[in-house]
Amino acid sequence: MARNTLNSRSRTLATLAVGVVVGGAVAGGGFAVADSPAPKTDRQITNMTDEVTKIKAYYGDTVDAKGEHWASPDSNYAVQVKGIENKAQKYLESKAAHERGTRKAIVLDVDDTSLSTYNYELETTFVYNPASNAQYIATKTMPAVFGMNTLATWASKHGYTVFYVTGRPETQRAATAANLTAVGFPAPDQPHMFLKNPENPPSYLPCGKTCTVIQYKSATRAHIESLGYRIVANFGDQYSDLSGGHAERTYKLPNPMYYLP
């Protein structure tokens, strides 16, 4: 998921809950959300309290002694994630077994693909703020999305180079790397983790400072390919993490908490 400095961040629970889509897919890089007319009555609007209650139930919300919220490993969310990971690993296993002569790679988004922002979202009532988000990332360790650290570690041990492509700003590189390593992901060194640097964008981003999420992420994947890697699988929780090509397979992880175009 592209976060923080990547343009404006749309966080519309009602849009996701109602599921207004065109062509059977949620918006993001070729997946267009229909423009909804203004509601005529309140009954046409999804009740936000009800939606938050549903989100908590889906994640199997538990609260610790410090008042922090955690998703449950036996929640419907965890079950759905596990099913996606099982399919992905089978595909990666087949490629590892039959294609030994190529530099294979996988690409992982960070927020809500690798690391869970569930507690942060509840703390901020799903209202993103750059300052509070930066403080949270600097001072807290987000848990791994269930099973993604295991999948990434397996891939690393079976001939895949693991790349992280995130919309977090370059200023959060050290904290992000430390969090990923602390919860069991392959350690992301400098060449294998890409963060957004709007003040000094790399030359491989033709859109420069004006990149959309899709432009930034797809061009970064193209850059990884230019280094001689073949991206076998790309993982993200937003369609904008996955659109734009430069990956053989894409795997969309569930995230009903917000939407990023």
Side-chain angles (χ1 to χ4, degrees), residues 5 12 18 44 60 67 90-91 102 112 125 143 158 169 173 206 245 252:
T5 57
T12 311
V18 174
Q44 294 176 290
K90 288 180 180 178
Y91 181 68
T102 59
D112 293 301
T125 60
H158 288 79
R173 176 178 291 276
K252 168 71 170 63

Side-chain angles (χ1 to χ4, degrees), residues 10-228:
S10 301
R11 308 176 63 85
T12 311
L13 285 170
T15 299
L16 288 177
V18 174
V20 181
V21 298
V22 171
V26 178
F31 300 83
V33 170
D35 292 328
S36 300
K40 295 184 182 299
T41 74
D42 64 307
R43 291 188 297 275
Q44 294 176 290
I45 303 172
T46 301
N47 184 280
M48 297 298 285
T49 300
D50 290 345
E51 288 308 309
V52 171
T53 299
K54 291 178 183 178
I55 287 172
K56 286 183 175 181
Y58 171 64
Y59 280 88
D61 183 68
T62 59
V63 184
D64 65 18
K66 297 180 180 179
E68 297 199 336
H69 293 260
W70 299 85
S72 170
D74 59 0
S75 63
N76 289 336
Y77 166 72
V79 171
Q80 187 177 1
V81 168
K82 182 62 176 177
I84 295 166
E85 291 166 349
N86 286 343
K87 291 178 181 178
Q89 183 162 335
K90 288 180 180 178
Y91 181 68
L92 294 176
E93 286 174 350
S94 68
K95 291 294 183 178
H98 299 103
E99 299 181 18
R100 300 180 183 275
T102 59
R103 298 177 73 189
K104 295 182 292 294
I106 64 170
V107 170
L108 304 177
D109 169 54
V110 173
D111 289 309
D112 293 301
T113 298
S114 302
L115 303 177
S116 173
T117 73
Y118 177 69
N119 183 65
Y120 170 77
E121 304 300 340
L122 288 174
E123 281 192 5
T124 59
T125 60
F126 304 95
V127 178
Y128 173 76
N129 177 276
S132 70
N133 185 258
Q135 177 68 11
Y136 194 97
I137 288 171
T139 59
K140 295 188 178 183
T141 300
M142 294 180 181
V145 169
F146 295 119
M148 285 302 293
N149 49 355
T150 302
L151 178 62
T153 299
W154 178 92
S156 179
K157 290 179 178 179
H158 288 79
Y160 290 91
T161 301
V162 179
F163 288 92
Y164 304 89
V165 180
T166 174
R168 289 186 179 189
E170 181 64 35
T171 54
Q172 294 176 357
R173 176 178 291 276
T176 301
N179 194 156
L180 288 165
T181 304
V183 296
F185 283 91
D189 56 11
Q190 180 84 18
H192 297 107
M193 186 166 68
F194 296 85
L195 296 90
K196 195 79 187 306
N197 190 351
E199 299 307 315
N200 187 27
S203 59
Y204 60 78
L205 291 179
C207 45
K209 298 180 179 181
T210 64
C211 288
T212 64
V213 176
I214 294 171
Q215 289 172 331
Y216 161 63
K217 293 215 164 185
S218 62
T220 302
R221 293 194 300 273
H223 172 66
I224 292 170
E225 289 179 333
S226 75
L227 299 176

